[in-house]
């Protein structure tokens, strides 16, 4: 941190290239963290624009704006990019910035691999987005990539399969880096049991990624060989089975949804204690609950397939296991509430997003439980009820936690406080907008409106119009966020090292903005 | 000693599936259990979880028929 410390740094940072080469060649965890976060923000606006196009078409029944096939391309790409291009990279960005700062390590364990993990992502992003301009347009078979549609499509389907491979590679390398860093580079005295919750959740998420990405890779490789090399894994005419794809995909897919939410649990578990000025209630149970969610998440996959036709025994099994996995998740909600109980609460923007997370994620958890009941799900499968469910857990869950984390750590990263009025404006517009878009979708689903459909029956019109209005409120209020971030980087009130009165942990012991190199000599944790 | 440790590991995993653990017990676990013990207990716990569910499903179907 001090100049004296830098003098020992023989591959000193003074020699680093500047301009674009700095970012292309960087091995610094803070640079790479920023790259991930910027990539994620750009993709958020890209996939968000697609969502607004989708909602515009759905403002009225009938076809107004686009060809139905283009509509399907939009829903598919919106899903793929939001999951692989926005939520996952954003969490990896947080991991890069925060894990070394929180465990007192000078950098990630494998800095060069770290660089490669990131730069693979824009490559995959270009392959995905570029396919809009190829013959036949982008993939239109849904983000779940089910055959037979995914076997029949044109060249963009091959490109998408390769892009998924590349993103998987990036995730696996990122996970190896994170696991090694956490297990080997903690400051003396920082035992596993003293690790901040965010570090714990990422450790477990990284294991989940390493376990599931190869499964996804296997599934899409089989698609690839079915498409190009004459195999018939998923082709019933050739003795294959399209339902097998669904089993393999969801064996990856359900743990994947926990990959999308565990780091969110981690971020919220940092923020709520800070603004309640109390330690996290039940830290131990939080760690245990996270670990058990990870293990049990491998036993529930067929709840996505109740409607394909399964023996009753299988339906019962997956129904019971799905309902049981909600128990450790529910325990976490109780822990956050108990942390706030009798605390000295203040409601800065990070806390507002964290509280909204707790309330709204719970709604998503409840609709998940409704869907977990096989007889109910057979009615609701592939309706807007499912769309409402996963947007409550992913928008007001994962995305809100990302906003909360940005507001929480941005002062540490930039050295400036963000503008609280702007932050609160962004918060209220987002919460209100989000609920206007997604709450009516429960009603639409219960009334039977199918998902992934560009046209609908007249009786669904009103709720669709409400949802579209909400979507535009939500979408455009993200511009407030963009302005806020840019303003905070440029200037603003000077942030103290501690930043938040109740904040605890190693990251708050370094100056704000965090210097390019931190913890060159490891701190000692008592 | 070893046997007691295994029991402890099984208990720790049981509580983790429920998602609740007293701070003091957790600290004791952390003191007395090795990582390998917990991982093995976790995997066995997963298998036991699945087998128990299968048993429940089997019983339910017996009852319904
Ligand atoms: C209480 C915990 C949860 C339960 C019981 C649950 C249950 C379910 C069920 C049964 C479905 C299948 C619905 C259908 O297709 O008919 C489903 C879909 C989905 N869930 Fe959850 N869920 C839970 C939490 C989560 C979380 C935390 C996430 C992500 C952060 C998530 C993301 C999704 C997604 C993306 C889908 C739709 C996939 C698709 O078909 O495109 N869920 N959930
Ligand atoms: Cu699932």
């Amino acid at each position: 941190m001090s100049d004296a410390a830098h003098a020992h740094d023989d591959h000193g940072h003074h020699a680093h290239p500047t301009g674009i080469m700095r970012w292309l060649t960087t091995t610094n965890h803070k640079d790479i963290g920023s790259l991930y976060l910027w990539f994620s923000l750009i993709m958020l606006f890209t996939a968000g624009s697609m969502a607004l196009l989708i909602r515009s078409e759905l403002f009225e029944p009938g076809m107004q704006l686009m060809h139905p096939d283009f509509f399907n391309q939009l829903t598919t790409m919106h899903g793929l990019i939001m999951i692989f291009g926005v939520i996952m990279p954003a969490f990896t960005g947080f991991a890069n910035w925060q894990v070394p700062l929180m465990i007192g390590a000078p950098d990630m364990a494998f800095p060069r691999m770290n660089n490669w993990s990131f730069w693979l992502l824009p490559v995959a992003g270009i392959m995905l987005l570029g396919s809009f301009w190829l013959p036949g347009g982008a993939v239109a078979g849904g983000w779940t990539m089910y055959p037979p549609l995914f076997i029949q499509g044109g060249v963009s389907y091959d490109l998408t399969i390769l892009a998924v491979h590349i993103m998987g590679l990036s995730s696996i390398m990122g996970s190896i880096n994170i696991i090694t860093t956490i297990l080997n580079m903690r400051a003396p005295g920082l035992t596993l049991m003293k690790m901040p919750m965010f570090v714990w959740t990422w450790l477990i998420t990284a294991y989940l990624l390493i376990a599931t990405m190869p499964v996804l890779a296997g599934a899409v490789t089989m698609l690839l060989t079915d498409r190009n090399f004459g195999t018939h894994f998923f082709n019933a005419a050739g003795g294959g089975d399209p339902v097998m794809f669904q089993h393999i995909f969801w064996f990856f897919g359900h743990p994947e949804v926990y990959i999308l939410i565990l780091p969110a649990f981690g971020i919220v578990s940092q923020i709520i204690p800070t603004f309640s000025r109390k330690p996290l209630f039940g830290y131990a149970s939080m760690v245990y609950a996270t670990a058990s969610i990870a293990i049990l998440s491998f036993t529930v996959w067929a709840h996505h397939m109740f409607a394909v036709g399964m023996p009753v025994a299988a339906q019962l099994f997956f129904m019971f296991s799905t309902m049981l996995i909600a128990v450790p998740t529910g325990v976490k909600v109780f822990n956050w509430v108990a942390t706030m109980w009798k605390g000295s609460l203040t409601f800065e923007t990070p806390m507002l997003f964290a509280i909204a997370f707790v309330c709204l994620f719970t709604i998503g958890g409840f609709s998940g439980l409704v869907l977990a009941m096989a007889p109910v799900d057979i009615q609701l499968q592939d309706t807007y009820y499912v769309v409402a469910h996963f947007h409550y857990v992913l928008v007001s869950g994962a995305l809100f936690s990302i906003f909360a984390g940005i507001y929480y750590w941005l002062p540490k990263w930039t050295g400036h406080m963000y503008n609280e009025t702007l932050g609160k404006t962004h918060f209220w517009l987002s919460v209100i907008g989000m609920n206007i878009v997604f709450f009516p979708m429960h009603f639409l689903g219960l009334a039977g409106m199918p998902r992934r459909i560009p046209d609908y029956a007249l009786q669904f019109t009103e709720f669709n119009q409400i949802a579209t209005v909400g979507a535009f409120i939500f979408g455009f209020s993200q511009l407030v966020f963009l302005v806020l971030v840019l303003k905070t980087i440029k200037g603003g009130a000077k942030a103290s090292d501690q930043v938040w009165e109740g904040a605890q942990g190693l990251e708050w012991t370094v100056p704000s903005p965090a210097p390019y190199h931190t913890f060159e000599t490891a701190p000692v944790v008592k | 000693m070893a046997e007691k440790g295994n029991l402890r590991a099984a208990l720790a995993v049981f509580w983790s599936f429920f998602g609740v653990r007293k701070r003091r017990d957790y600290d004791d676990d952390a003191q007395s259990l090795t990582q390998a013990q917990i991982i093995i207990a976790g995997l066995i716990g997963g298998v036991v979880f699945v087998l128990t569910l299968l048993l429940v499903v089997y019983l339910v179907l017996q009852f319904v028929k």
Side-chain angles (χ1 to χ4, degrees), chain A residues 250 253-254 257 300-301 303-304:
Chain A
W250 288 114
H254 191 84
V257 309
V300 298
W301 74 91
H303 64 213
H304 295 274

Side-chain angles (χ1 to χ4, degrees), chain A residues 36 117-118 120-121 165-175:
Chain A
Y36 268 108
S117 306
F118 172 74
L120 282 177
L121 282 184
H165 271 304
I166 292 175
M167 291 183 294
L169 205 66
S170 157
S171 291
I172 290 176
M173 291 194 300
S175 302

Side-chain angles (χ1 to χ4, degrees), chain A residues 366-509:
Chain A
F366 278 136
S367 57
L369 278 174
V370 172
L371 291 169
M373 281 175 277
V376 179
D377 185 68
I378 286 168
Q379 307 294 313
L380 293 178
Q381 158 100 74
D382 275 334
T383 68
Y384 261 81
Y385 196 87
V386 179
V387 180
H389 159 64
F390 67 72
H391 283 92
Y392 267 87
V393 282
L394 286 172
V395 176
S396 51
L399 187 63
F400 274 20
S401 84
I402 290 168
F403 286 143
I406 297 281
Y407 285 105
Y408 187 53
W409 283 306
L410 200 58
K412 176 54 68 191
W413 299 343
T414 63
H416 303 128
M417 291 309 284
Y418 61 85
N419 180 320
E420 195 64 59
T421 319
L422 237 90
K424 292 209 165 108
T425 312
H426 172 229
F427 169 76
W428 284 111
L429 286 174
S430 295
V431 181
I432 294 169
M434 184 270 158
N435 280 291
I436 299 178
V437 203
F438 297 115
F439 209 79
M441 291 186 185
H442 292 110
F443 307 135
L444 285 171
L446 290 169
M449 178 170 161
R451 65 190 279 208
R452 293 173 172 163
I453 290 286
D455 186 8
Y456 52 82
L458 293 179
Q459 70 268 27
F460 302 132
T461 310
E462 281 80 7
F463 283 132
N464 270 295
Q465 296 191 328
I466 296 172
T468 299
V469 170
F472 276 86
I473 299 176
F474 183 79
F476 279 90
S477 53
Q478 302 321 311
L479 292 175
V480 179
F481 177 66
L482 180 66
V483 169
L484 177 141
V485 171
L486 292 175
K487 275 181 73 156
T488 314
I489 293 172
K490 280 227 185 89
K494 173 107 191 58
S496 66
D497 295 355
Q498 171 78 13
V499 182
W500 309 109
E501 186 192 32
Q504 308 230 316
L506 288 175
E507 79 255 48
W508 309 107
T509 63

Side-chain angles (χ1 to χ4, degrees), chain A residues 192-193 200 283-289 292 295-296 299 312-313 316-317 320-321 324 327-328 331, chain B residues 12 15-23 26 29-30 35 42 46 49-50 53-54 56-57 60-61:
Chain A
L192 282 176
M193 267 53 68
W200 256 117
Y283 168 87
S285 29
M286 284 287 225
V287 173
Y288 277 26
S292 58
I295 293 180
L296 300 184
T299 67
V312 179
L316 284 176
F317 178 89
F320 293 155
S321 61
L324 285 172
V327 173
V331 167
Chain B
W15 281 112
S16 90
F17 281 4
F18 188 52
V20 180
R21 190 73 166 142
K22 276 207 208 85
R23 176 86 214 190
Y26 173 79
D29 292 349
Q35 280 174 29
F49 176 79
V50 170
L53 273 185
L54 285 174
V56 172
V57 168
V60 168
L61 289 180

